[in-house]
Amino acid sequence: MNKNNKQKLYPRVIVAGTSSGVGKTTISLAIMAALSKKGFKVQGFKVGPDFIDPGYYQLATGRAGRNLDTWMMGKRNTLASFTSAASEVDVSIIEGVMGLYDGRGALAVGSTAEVAKLIDSPVIVVIDCAKMGASAGAVALGYLKYDESVSIKGFILNRIGSKKHEEMVKRSVESATGLPVLGCVRKAEEISIPERHLGLVTQEETRLSSRYIEALAEMAERSIDIEATIDIAVCGGKIKTGLELSQPGFDSELPCLPQGVKIGVAYDKAFSFYYHDNFDLLKMYGAELAFFSPLSDRRLPDGIRGLYLGGGYPEVYAAELSNNRNLADEIKDMVESGLPVYAECGGLIYLAQAVDGFDNKTRIMSKALPLVCKMQNGPTLGYREVIAITDSVIASKGDILRGHEFHYSTIAEVHGELKPAYKTDNGSNEGFIYKNTLASYIHLHFAGQPEAAGRFVLACRRGSYR
């Protein structure tokens, strides 16, 4: 990457919404698909901690989706992550999170609006007009005036019922705000993605066809002014180039880390919740990532020095995971032997003795850790700040880490001695350490704590964190 202090124009636009559920994902994907069809190199970003939406961006653009989360990553590394990926493409489409001004607490920390100001991006706001007429103008005006330092450039009106309805809401919005309506999407044109308990079904599971992406592109071409969207994307300010994800605390170790410290990464329909920056940072510190499927592979990749078990839907595929005893037993043996292992959420479930499913059936997991997980009706979710209360493969005692959790399972039983990994901000313990394994419900974005990625690679190189 260019390591100078020059400034560069990164064409970009944020597709925000008045709330969750207004159709931001479908419209963002449709715009990405239409631009890709026109021959543009497109990078998709998601504001916030979501894993699933960025997976769909790759279907539309051919490039891994990225996250921009100022609370988990910090402002500097959020900006660095953006410029690093945006420098390789013609245009970036950034999907917002929840409503434009919704964030962590009343000050909107981590909100779409905060990211818009950080990367000086123009914003298009999506309004769900299914149950309103001229009131759409009042909604649009409120969002425009609420924080005038946010550069709102236009609106897309979704779930329009008829031509008459379209004329009414479009006139209302444009006369109230003086800004253009860039698109009107009819209810009949909506292209939905299946959902389940953590949100959308992942793209790894659906394997949506090229026809689906083509249909999205056609919808955008028919209902959204793509040329005007391109014009808006180039009106953002210039951003300083040369920003890089920081590597605090490990500079002295980096020359000692050879390329090719092979780390096995679980990746398939059951395990696909990863931040792509995490992979980049692990590789930056010298990791060679070897992807494998706990569902279908009979053994782990040869020569691995550590394991990274991310989140996903192991509870949905519990029967298949349970039946693949060869791999489950090998992972248990690796944990017992002291191989460095980092497991997040779904990875924790897989390392458990068993999981009690929504159907009340108990299915055996890898049995690497002496605990049992149980699915529950309601979710546990939210940002988490934790303090490491002991050394582990990713942290030193006293380190402060920021992450996010979103799960429908809980720890139902613990049968042996496990050290707690973290102390949460409410004083409770979280996560477990067993030998050189750390398993936690919290998903970390390594861009917010790059030293965690460095420490894990170092642990894998040494064979332990000690």
mmCIF file of all heavy atoms in Angstrom, residues 34 87 93 154 209 393 434 443:
data_model
loop_
_atom_site.group_PDB
_atom_site.id
_atom_site.type_symbol
_atom_site.label_atom_id
_atom_site.label_comp_id
_atom_site.label_asym_id
_atom_site.label_seq_id
_atom_site.Cartn_x
_atom_site.Cartn_y
_atom_site.Cartn_z
ATOM 1 N N ALA A 34 -25.487 -4.321 -9.875
ATOM 2 C CA ALA A 34 -25.625 -3.500 -11.076
ATOM 3 C C ALA A 34 -24.299 -2.857 -11.465
ATOM 4 O O ALA A 34 -23.941 -2.810 -12.658
ATOM 5 C CB ALA A 34 -26.689 -2.436 -10.850
ATOM 6 N N SER A 87 -8.864 1.100 -1.847
ATOM 7 C CA SER A 87 -7.821 1.510 -2.791
ATOM 8 C C SER A 87 -7.693 0.553 -3.970
ATOM 9 O O SER A 87 -7.076 0.892 -4.981
ATOM 10 C CB SER A 87 -6.469 1.608 -2.072
ATOM 11 O OG SER A 87 -6.044 0.334 -1.623
ATOM 12 N N ILE A 93 -19.443 0.417 -1.865
ATOM 13 C CA ILE A 93 -20.823 0.537 -1.395
ATOM 14 C C ILE A 93 -20.844 0.054 0.052
ATOM 15 O O ILE A 93 -20.464 -1.087 0.340
ATOM 16 C CB ILE A 93 -21.798 -0.289 -2.250
ATOM 17 C CG1 ILE A 93 -21.686 0.110 -3.721
ATOM 18 C CG2 ILE A 93 -23.225 -0.120 -1.740
ATOM 19 C CD1 ILE A 93 -22.025 1.555 -4.018
ATOM 20 N N GLY A 154 -29.544 11.882 -0.992
ATOM 21 C CA GLY A 154 -30.745 11.434 -1.681
ATOM 22 C C GLY A 154 -31.412 10.304 -0.926
ATOM 23 O O GLY A 154 -30.942 9.870 0.136
ATOM 24 N N SER A 209 -27.761 -18.601 -6.697
ATOM 25 C CA SER A 209 -27.316 -18.769 -8.075
ATOM 26 C C SER A 209 -26.931 -17.434 -8.699
ATOM 27 O O SER A 209 -27.286 -16.356 -8.218
ATOM 28 C CB SER A 209 -28.431 -19.414 -8.898
ATOM 29 O OG SER A 209 -29.514 -18.510 -9.003
ATOM 30 N N VAL A 393 -3.782 -17.555 24.650
ATOM 31 C CA VAL A 393 -3.173 -17.546 23.315
ATOM 32 C C VAL A 393 -3.405 -16.243 22.567
ATOM 33 O O VAL A 393 -2.771 -16.006 21.536
ATOM 34 C CB VAL A 393 -3.686 -18.723 22.452
ATOM 35 C CG1 VAL A 393 -3.199 -20.043 23.002
ATOM 36 C CG2 VAL A 393 -5.206 -18.702 22.341
ATOM 37 N N TYR A 434 -8.377 -23.752 28.743
ATOM 38 C CA TYR A 434 -8.009 -25.131 29.053
ATOM 39 C C TYR A 434 -6.738 -25.455 28.290
ATOM 40 O O TYR A 434 -6.725 -25.416 27.060
ATOM 41 C CB TYR A 434 -9.131 -26.092 28.656
ATOM 42 C CG TYR A 434 -8.815 -27.544 28.889
ATOM 43 C CD1 TYR A 434 -8.807 -28.071 30.182
ATOM 44 C CD2 TYR A 434 -8.534 -28.391 27.821
ATOM 45 C CE1 TYR A 434 -8.521 -29.412 30.397
ATOM 46 C CE2 TYR A 434 -8.251 -29.736 28.021
ATOM 47 C CZ TYR A 434 -8.238 -30.243 29.315
ATOM 48 O OH TYR A 434 -7.949 -31.574 29.534
ATOM 49 N N HIS A 443 -16.937 -12.558 19.869
ATOM 50 C CA HIS A 443 -16.217 -12.435 18.602
ATOM 51 C C HIS A 443 -15.355 -11.175 18.664
ATOM 52 O O HIS A 443 -15.859 -10.072 18.899
ATOM 53 C CB HIS A 443 -17.189 -12.282 17.427
ATOM 54 C CG HIS A 443 -18.030 -13.485 17.161
ATOM 55 N ND1 HIS A 443 -17.586 -14.536 16.390
ATOM 56 C CD2 HIS A 443 -19.293 -13.802 17.544
ATOM 57 C CE1 HIS A 443 -18.542 -15.448 16.298
ATOM 58 N NE2 HIS A 443 -19.591 -15.030 17.001
#
